Every structure is written in structure tokens, then in C-alpha cells.
Amino acid sequence: MKNKIMIAMGMILVAMVFASGCAAKPTSSNGVVSSESATESYIAMAKAKLETSSDFTSDFYGEVKMGEDGVETVSKAKVEMMKEPLRVSIVMQDSFEKDTVSSQLYLEKVSDGVNMYMVYDGQWTEMTLDENNAMKSVGVYDATKNMGLLLAAGENWEQISLNNGIVTITGELPAQKVYDISEAGAFLQLAGMNGVDQSYYSGVEAVPFEIQVKEDGTPVAFSVDFAKTLETVMDHVLQELGQAGEDPIYVEKYYISQNFSKVGDVKKIEIPVEARDAINYEKEISLLESSAAAHQ
């Protein structure tokens, strides 16, 4: 089970309505925010911002805690992403118990696809992917897409605070939408459980999440805990493999959060010079095969 984890982890605000008939409008005071229409307005503005602002920088945090011993994996990353043309930088640090591993991943659109550069333990490698597979490989880090997915599918919204211009809203991903959103956003990627059949999601529960936006709808952060979803999926997978034991799998936490630094204002993403000197084994093999065929 440990290997599976590694692979792959107040003041109340009272809304004031003036006698002139103006609509209720939340202020920037601390506390609980007033109306349902105000909450819907913030969500609508955030959706619009995300639909038109695919470029972003963010701080990613993922925490997986499971098993009787509470084995914990923590993933942190600085993410920069531009989608036209595609260029991505992800600088990661993964901690498992007392061990910490640092790595880097970069994507760059080229004429024949997308080059992926990776460094692990000081060794750079390169491979070329089609754009769809390249984006799948970094799906859990795609903050604008994933926050947009949660906003589009969320229900049972509750605005819980408006502090210093930051609106905090909770929502719930209904059980019948969990599979589609989890797969589309690669939310179970840290546990290596994306891409499984929908049948493994049978019996999942609704998933609570939280978003934060500025008063103009600009995304600030989102967080979500798929612990119960992962627990259900892993239990079904192990049953399918005939490895389910007497004791059920227990996932205490599968928490993901992204805090935005910039949205729609990323000008440039640098790819290290040393990354461009990495060996692209696919291209090398292709050249060798072509050369061998020419001499036959």
C-alpha cells in the first residue's frame, strides 16, 4: 500500500439594504455574507474569468494520508502554465515520511507535438507527446481548468465569509458527477487512480470543496478532499484484483489545494538550458531505425 502511495498525496456581516430600493450588496467587512444572489454572482464572475484566462501561476499542495498507521505523502509544486502556445513549468517536492524528493517537469509545444523535459536525481530526459497526452500528464496541476470544473458541477453553495475583499464559498460535488469531474481533472492522479473504469466509482459520496475569489470574480484559491472517493475506488480495484482483505481500506485525507498568484497574466515561462540537452530516446531510436532501414 505504501508503494502505491509513493508512485503515484467571528464577526458576522449584516447586508444593508437602503430604503431607496438598491439591491443588497456585500461589503468588505469581516463575517458571513448575506444573499444567495450575491453568491451566485460571484460564482458566475469566477466562471467567466476562468473561461477566458487559461494562463496562470499557482502554488499546488497535495496531501494523502491513509492506512491504520496514517502513512502520509505530501506533494508541493510551483506551477506556471500558458496554453497558447503550450508551455508549462512544474517544480515539485514530494515528501514521504522522512524522505523528500525534488523534481522538475516542463512542457513545450513544438512542430511535431509537445516536448516533455523531466529531471529526476540530476538526470534530464526528454520525450515527445501529442498535446492531449501531454496535458493529461499534468492534469492535476491545471488549476484554471480544475477550478472551472468544480464551479460548473457544484451544488449546495454557501457563502461563508467576505474578509478583506476575499469571498469564501463552499460547495458540493454531487455523487453522480464525481466520476466525470475526477477523471476530467485528474484529481486522483497523485494516487495513480485516474483512468479506471466508471464501475469502480460505484457508491461514491458527494465531495465537499471550497473556493475563494476576489469581489470581481478573480480566482484566488480552491481546495477539495477526495478521501472518500479514493477509498471507494481503491476498494473496488482491490476487489477486482482479488486482493481485498478483511479490513477495509481507510483513507483519512486526499486533499488538494491550489493558490493562484497570477491569472491570465503570464508573460513568459523559462525552460532551463540544460533541459534542451536531454536525450530524447524516442527520437534516437527512430533515427537508428531509419538508418538501419536505409542500409538494408
Side-chain angles (χ1 to χ4, degrees), residues 1-2 5 64-72 97 231 234 245-253:
M1 187 63 67
K2 291 185 179 180
I5 300 173
V64 185
K65 192 173 184 179
M66 60 192 300
E68 292 181 359
D69 298 330
V71 177
E72 184 177 50
E97 295 183 328
E231 188 174 277
M234 291 185 69
E246 294 181 0
D247 298 325
I249 292 174
Y250 174 61
V251 179
E252 181 178 337
K253 182 182 291 187

PDB file of all heavy atoms in Angstrom, residues 1-2 5 64-72 97 231 234 245-253:
ATOM      1  N   MET A   1       0.833  -1.205   0.000  1.00  0.00           N
ATOM      2  CA  MET A   1       0.000   0.000   0.000  1.00  0.00           C
ATOM      3  C   MET A   1       0.864   1.250   0.000  1.00  0.00           C
ATOM      4  O   MET A   1       0.564   2.233  -0.642  1.00  0.00           O
ATOM      5  CB  MET A   1      -0.901  -0.028   1.229  1.00  0.00           C
ATOM      6  CG  MET A   1      -1.922   1.094   1.252  1.00  0.00           C
ATOM      7  SD  MET A   1      -3.052   0.972  -0.137  1.00  0.00           S
ATOM      8  CE  MET A   1      -3.909  -0.530   0.321  1.00  0.00           C
ATOM      9  N   LYS A   2       2.023   1.199   0.723  1.00  0.00           N
ATOM     10  CA  LYS A   2       2.896   2.355   0.765  1.00  0.00           C
ATOM     11  C   LYS A   2       3.461   2.658  -0.615  1.00  0.00           C
ATOM     12  O   LYS A   2       3.597   3.806  -1.012  1.00  0.00           O
ATOM     13  CB  LYS A   2       4.035   2.134   1.759  1.00  0.00           C
ATOM     14  CG  LYS A   2       3.575   2.110   3.223  1.00  0.00           C
ATOM     15  CD  LYS A   2       4.760   2.013   4.162  1.00  0.00           C
ATOM     16  CE  LYS A   2       4.311   2.002   5.616  1.00  0.00           C
ATOM     17  NZ  LYS A   2       5.444   1.919   6.555  1.00  0.00           N
ATOM     18  N   ILE A   5       1.094   4.551  -2.714  1.00  0.00           N
ATOM     19  CA  ILE A   5       1.024   5.967  -2.351  1.00  0.00           C
ATOM     20  C   ILE A   5       2.203   6.721  -2.942  1.00  0.00           C
ATOM     21  O   ILE A   5       2.038   7.823  -3.468  1.00  0.00           O
ATOM     22  CB  ILE A   5       1.015   6.128  -0.818  1.00  0.00           C
ATOM     23  CG1 ILE A   5      -0.190   5.403  -0.218  1.00  0.00           C
ATOM     24  CG2 ILE A   5       0.959   7.596  -0.426  1.00  0.00           C
ATOM     25  CD1 ILE A   5      -0.176   5.361   1.274  1.00  0.00           C
ATOM     26  N   VAL A  64      -1.883  13.168   1.011  1.00  0.00           N
ATOM     27  CA  VAL A  64      -2.563  11.870   1.071  1.00  0.00           C
ATOM     28  C   VAL A  64      -2.182  11.210   2.392  1.00  0.00           C
ATOM     29  O   VAL A  64      -1.002  11.058   2.705  1.00  0.00           O
ATOM     30  CB  VAL A  64      -2.153  10.954  -0.099  1.00  0.00           C
ATOM     31  CG1 VAL A  64      -2.972   9.654  -0.058  1.00  0.00           C
ATOM     32  CG2 VAL A  64      -2.334  11.654  -1.432  1.00  0.00           C
ATOM     33  N   LYS A  65      -3.209  10.827   3.167  1.00  0.00           N
ATOM     34  CA  LYS A  65      -2.965  10.156   4.438  1.00  0.00           C
ATOM     35  C   LYS A  65      -3.893   8.971   4.534  1.00  0.00           C
ATOM     36  O   LYS A  65      -5.117   9.122   4.459  1.00  0.00           O
ATOM     37  CB  LYS A  65      -3.197  11.134   5.598  1.00  0.00           C
ATOM     38  CG  LYS A  65      -2.707  10.633   6.946  1.00  0.00           C
ATOM     39  CD  LYS A  65      -2.821  11.730   7.993  1.00  0.00           C
ATOM     40  CE  LYS A  65      -2.253  11.282   9.331  1.00  0.00           C
ATOM     41  NZ  LYS A  65      -2.336  12.352  10.361  1.00  0.00           N
ATOM     42  N   MET A  66      -3.326   7.784   4.676  1.00  0.00           N
ATOM     43  CA  MET A  66      -4.167   6.593   4.639  1.00  0.00           C
ATOM     44  C   MET A  66      -3.541   5.447   5.414  1.00  0.00           C
ATOM     45  O   MET A  66      -2.371   5.479   5.780  1.00  0.00           O
ATOM     46  CB  MET A  66      -4.420   6.183   3.194  1.00  0.00           C
ATOM     47  CG  MET A  66      -3.171   5.856   2.390  1.00  0.00           C
ATOM     48  SD  MET A  66      -3.503   5.720   0.623  1.00  0.00           S
ATOM     49  CE  MET A  66      -4.685   4.377   0.622  1.00  0.00           C
ATOM     50  N   GLY A  67      -4.369   4.428   5.648  1.00  0.00           N
ATOM     51  CA  GLY A  67      -3.908   3.243   6.354  1.00  0.00           C
ATOM     52  C   GLY A  67      -4.002   3.390   7.852  1.00  0.00           C
ATOM     53  O   GLY A  67      -4.145   4.489   8.394  1.00  0.00           O
ATOM     54  N   GLU A  68      -3.921   2.283   8.557  1.00  0.00           N
ATOM     55  CA  GLU A  68      -4.021   2.283  10.013  1.00  0.00           C
ATOM     56  C   GLU A  68      -2.920   3.111  10.659  1.00  0.00           C
ATOM     57  O   GLU A  68      -3.103   3.724  11.706  1.00  0.00           O
ATOM     58  CB  GLU A  68      -3.969   0.846  10.537  1.00  0.00           C
ATOM     59  CG  GLU A  68      -5.189   0.006  10.168  1.00  0.00           C
ATOM     60  CD  GLU A  68      -5.100  -1.399  10.739  1.00  0.00           C
ATOM     61  OE1 GLU A  68      -4.069  -1.687  11.399  1.00  0.00           O
ATOM     62  OE2 GLU A  68      -6.027  -2.190  10.535  1.00  0.00           O
ATOM     63  N   ASP A  69      -1.753   3.131  10.017  1.00  0.00           N
ATOM     64  CA  ASP A  69      -0.618   3.864  10.569  1.00  0.00           C
ATOM     65  C   ASP A  69      -0.607   5.330  10.144  1.00  0.00           C
ATOM     66  O   ASP A  69       0.291   6.081  10.527  1.00  0.00           O
ATOM     67  CB  ASP A  69       0.697   3.203  10.140  1.00  0.00           C
ATOM     68  CG  ASP A  69       0.818   1.778  10.648  1.00  0.00           C
ATOM     69  OD1 ASP A  69       0.253   1.501  11.722  1.00  0.00           O
ATOM     70  OD2 ASP A  69       1.467   0.952   9.970  1.00  0.00           O
ATOM     71  N   GLY A  70      -1.589   5.733   9.347  1.00  0.00           N
ATOM     72  CA  GLY A  70      -1.648   7.122   8.904  1.00  0.00           C
ATOM     73  C   GLY A  70      -0.469   7.528   8.053  1.00  0.00           C
ATOM     74  O   GLY A  70       0.086   8.618   8.195  1.00  0.00           O
ATOM     75  N   VAL A  71      -0.043   6.642   7.147  1.00  0.00           N
ATOM     76  CA  VAL A  71       1.073   6.946   6.263  1.00  0.00           C
ATOM     77  C   VAL A  71       0.734   8.168   5.418  1.00  0.00           C
ATOM     78  O   VAL A  71      -0.329   8.235   4.800  1.00  0.00           O
ATOM     79  CB  VAL A  71       1.390   5.739   5.351  1.00  0.00           C
ATOM     80  CG1 VAL A  71       2.509   6.090   4.383  1.00  0.00           C
ATOM     81  CG2 VAL A  71       1.786   4.538   6.200  1.00  0.00           C
ATOM     82  N   GLU A  72       1.636   9.142   5.396  1.00  0.00           N
ATOM     83  CA  GLU A  72       1.329  10.424   4.777  1.00  0.00           C
ATOM     84  C   GLU A  72       2.309  10.767   3.665  1.00  0.00           C
ATOM     85  O   GLU A  72       3.521  10.601   3.798  1.00  0.00           O
ATOM     86  CB  GLU A  72       1.358  11.521   5.840  1.00  0.00           C
ATOM     87  CG  GLU A  72       0.969  12.898   5.339  1.00  0.00           C
ATOM     88  CD  GLU A  72       0.959  13.909   6.472  1.00  0.00           C
ATOM     89  OE1 GLU A  72       1.960  13.964   7.222  1.00  0.00           O
ATOM     90  OE2 GLU A  72      -0.036  14.637   6.624  1.00  0.00           O
ATOM     91  N   GLU A  97       6.984  10.256   4.514  1.00  0.00           N
ATOM     92  CA  GLU A  97       7.576  10.046   5.828  1.00  0.00           C
ATOM     93  C   GLU A  97       8.821  10.932   5.969  1.00  0.00           C
ATOM     94  O   GLU A  97       8.720  12.138   5.915  1.00  0.00           O
ATOM     95  CB  GLU A  97       7.860   8.561   6.049  1.00  0.00           C
ATOM     96  CG  GLU A  97       6.560   7.731   6.084  1.00  0.00           C
ATOM     97  CD  GLU A  97       6.795   6.262   6.385  1.00  0.00           C
ATOM     98  OE1 GLU A  97       7.847   5.722   6.001  1.00  0.00           O
ATOM     99  OE2 GLU A  97       5.909   5.660   7.006  1.00  0.00           O
ATOM    100  N   GLU A 231     -10.966   6.148  -1.351  1.00  0.00           N
ATOM    101  CA  GLU A 231     -11.205   4.949  -0.552  1.00  0.00           C
ATOM    102  C   GLU A 231     -12.112   3.972  -1.289  1.00  0.00           C
ATOM    103  O   GLU A 231     -11.838   2.768  -1.362  1.00  0.00           O
ATOM    104  CB  GLU A 231     -11.824   5.375   0.778  1.00  0.00           C
ATOM    105  CG  GLU A 231     -11.970   4.271   1.800  1.00  0.00           C
ATOM    106  CD  GLU A 231     -12.446   4.829   3.134  1.00  0.00           C
ATOM    107  OE1 GLU A 231     -11.598   5.320   3.914  1.00  0.00           O
ATOM    108  OE2 GLU A 231     -13.666   4.810   3.385  1.00  0.00           O
ATOM    109  N   MET A 234     -10.265   2.576  -4.597  1.00  0.00           N
ATOM    110  CA  MET A 234      -9.223   1.595  -4.288  1.00  0.00           C
ATOM    111  C   MET A 234      -9.812   0.290  -3.783  1.00  0.00           C
ATOM    112  O   MET A 234      -9.308  -0.796  -4.116  1.00  0.00           O
ATOM    113  CB  MET A 234      -8.258   2.174  -3.248  1.00  0.00           C
ATOM    114  CG  MET A 234      -7.399   3.307  -3.767  1.00  0.00           C
ATOM    115  SD  MET A 234      -6.169   3.858  -2.553  1.00  0.00           S
ATOM    116  CE  MET A 234      -5.066   2.444  -2.525  1.00  0.00           C
ATOM    117  N   GLY A 245      -8.840  -7.478   1.501  1.00  0.00           N
ATOM    118  CA  GLY A 245      -8.701  -8.199   2.753  1.00  0.00           C
ATOM    119  C   GLY A 245      -9.932  -8.047   3.620  1.00  0.00           C
ATOM    120  O   GLY A 245     -10.946  -7.465   3.226  1.00  0.00           O
ATOM    121  N   GLU A 246      -9.852  -8.568   4.814  1.00  0.00           N
ATOM    122  CA  GLU A 246     -10.976  -8.472   5.731  1.00  0.00           C
ATOM    123  C   GLU A 246     -11.188  -7.034   6.199  1.00  0.00           C
ATOM    124  O   GLU A 246     -12.297  -6.601   6.433  1.00  0.00           O
ATOM    125  CB  GLU A 246     -10.729  -9.387   6.942  1.00  0.00           C
ATOM    126  CG  GLU A 246     -10.708 -10.870   6.581  1.00  0.00           C
ATOM    127  CD  GLU A 246     -10.488 -11.746   7.800  1.00  0.00           C
ATOM    128  OE1 GLU A 246     -10.354 -11.171   8.911  1.00  0.00           O
ATOM    129  OE2 GLU A 246     -10.452 -12.970   7.652  1.00  0.00           O
ATOM    130  N   ASP A 247     -10.097  -6.295   6.361  1.00  0.00           N
ATOM    131  CA  ASP A 247     -10.189  -4.913   6.816  1.00  0.00           C
ATOM    132  C   ASP A 247     -10.324  -3.981   5.619  1.00  0.00           C
ATOM    133  O   ASP A 247      -9.532  -4.056   4.668  1.00  0.00           O
ATOM    134  CB  ASP A 247      -8.950  -4.520   7.626  1.00  0.00           C
ATOM    135  CG  ASP A 247      -8.808  -5.357   8.884  1.00  0.00           C
ATOM    136  OD1 ASP A 247      -9.859  -5.689   9.467  1.00  0.00           O
ATOM    137  OD2 ASP A 247      -7.668  -5.672   9.259  1.00  0.00           O
ATOM    138  N   PRO A 248     -11.306  -3.109   5.628  1.00  0.00           N
ATOM    139  CA  PRO A 248     -11.481  -2.182   4.510  1.00  0.00           C
ATOM    140  C   PRO A 248     -10.368  -1.151   4.454  1.00  0.00           C
ATOM    141  O   PRO A 248      -9.705  -0.858   5.447  1.00  0.00           O
ATOM    142  CB  PRO A 248     -12.833  -1.520   4.822  1.00  0.00           C
ATOM    143  CG  PRO A 248     -12.941  -1.599   6.310  1.00  0.00           C
ATOM    144  CD  PRO A 248     -12.301  -2.911   6.682  1.00  0.00           C
ATOM    145  N   ILE A 249     -10.142  -0.616   3.263  1.00  0.00           N
ATOM    146  CA  ILE A 249      -9.151   0.445   3.093  1.00  0.00           C
ATOM    147  C   ILE A 249      -9.654   1.697   3.784  1.00  0.00           C
ATOM    148  O   ILE A 249     -10.838   2.028   3.695  1.00  0.00           O
ATOM    149  CB  ILE A 249      -8.918   0.719   1.593  1.00  0.00           C
ATOM    150  CG1 ILE A 249      -8.233  -0.488   0.967  1.00  0.00           C
ATOM    151  CG2 ILE A 249      -8.109   1.973   1.372  1.00  0.00           C
ATOM    152  CD1 ILE A 249      -8.086  -0.393  -0.518  1.00  0.00           C
ATOM    153  N   TYR A 250      -8.751   2.388   4.460  1.00  0.00           N
ATOM    154  CA  TYR A 250      -9.124   3.635   5.117  1.00  0.00           C
ATOM    155  C   TYR A 250      -8.253   4.769   4.591  1.00  0.00           C
ATOM    156  O   TYR A 250      -7.026   4.709   4.688  1.00  0.00           O
ATOM    157  CB  TYR A 250      -8.964   3.520   6.632  1.00  0.00           C
ATOM    158  CG  TYR A 250      -9.196   4.819   7.363  1.00  0.00           C
ATOM    159  CD1 TYR A 250     -10.428   5.466   7.294  1.00  0.00           C
ATOM    160  CD2 TYR A 250      -8.166   5.404   8.101  1.00  0.00           C
ATOM    161  CE1 TYR A 250     -10.640   6.657   7.955  1.00  0.00           C
ATOM    162  CE2 TYR A 250      -8.381   6.599   8.772  1.00  0.00           C
ATOM    163  CZ  TYR A 250      -9.612   7.224   8.689  1.00  0.00           C
ATOM    164  OH  TYR A 250      -9.817   8.410   9.335  1.00  0.00           O
ATOM    165  N   VAL A 251      -8.892   5.759   3.981  1.00  0.00           N
ATOM    166  CA  VAL A 251      -8.190   6.952   3.518  1.00  0.00           C
ATOM    167  C   VAL A 251      -8.649   8.114   4.370  1.00  0.00           C
ATOM    168  O   VAL A 251      -9.808   8.522   4.316  1.00  0.00           O
ATOM    169  CB  VAL A 251      -8.482   7.241   2.032  1.00  0.00           C
ATOM    170  CG1 VAL A 251      -7.748   8.507   1.586  1.00  0.00           C
ATOM    171  CG2 VAL A 251      -8.077   6.054   1.164  1.00  0.00           C
ATOM    172  N   GLU A 252      -7.768   8.630   5.198  1.00  0.00           N
ATOM    173  CA  GLU A 252      -8.112   9.733   6.094  1.00  0.00           C
ATOM    174  C   GLU A 252      -8.175  11.064   5.351  1.00  0.00           C
ATOM    175  O   GLU A 252      -9.023  11.914   5.623  1.00  0.00           O
ATOM    176  CB  GLU A 252      -7.081   9.835   7.216  1.00  0.00           C
ATOM    177  CG  GLU A 252      -7.373  10.940   8.216  1.00  0.00           C
ATOM    178  CD  GLU A 252      -6.366  10.984   9.346  1.00  0.00           C
ATOM    179  OE1 GLU A 252      -5.719   9.941   9.606  1.00  0.00           O
ATOM    180  OE2 GLU A 252      -6.218  12.052   9.975  1.00  0.00           O
ATOM    181  N   LYS A 253      -7.279  11.229   4.370  1.00  0.00           N
ATOM    182  CA  LYS A 253      -7.221  12.513   3.674  1.00  0.00           C
ATOM    183  C   LYS A 253      -6.670  12.336   2.263  1.00  0.00           C
ATOM    184  O   LYS A 253      -5.713  11.585   2.042  1.00  0.00           O
ATOM    185  CB  LYS A 253      -6.335  13.485   4.449  1.00  0.00           C
ATOM    186  CG  LYS A 253      -6.235  14.880   3.852  1.00  0.00           C
ATOM    187  CD  LYS A 253      -5.287  15.764   4.658  1.00  0.00           C
ATOM    188  CE  LYS A 253      -5.862  16.096   6.018  1.00  0.00           C
ATOM    189  NZ  LYS A 253      -5.010  17.105   6.734  1.00  0.00           N
TER     190      LYS A 253
END
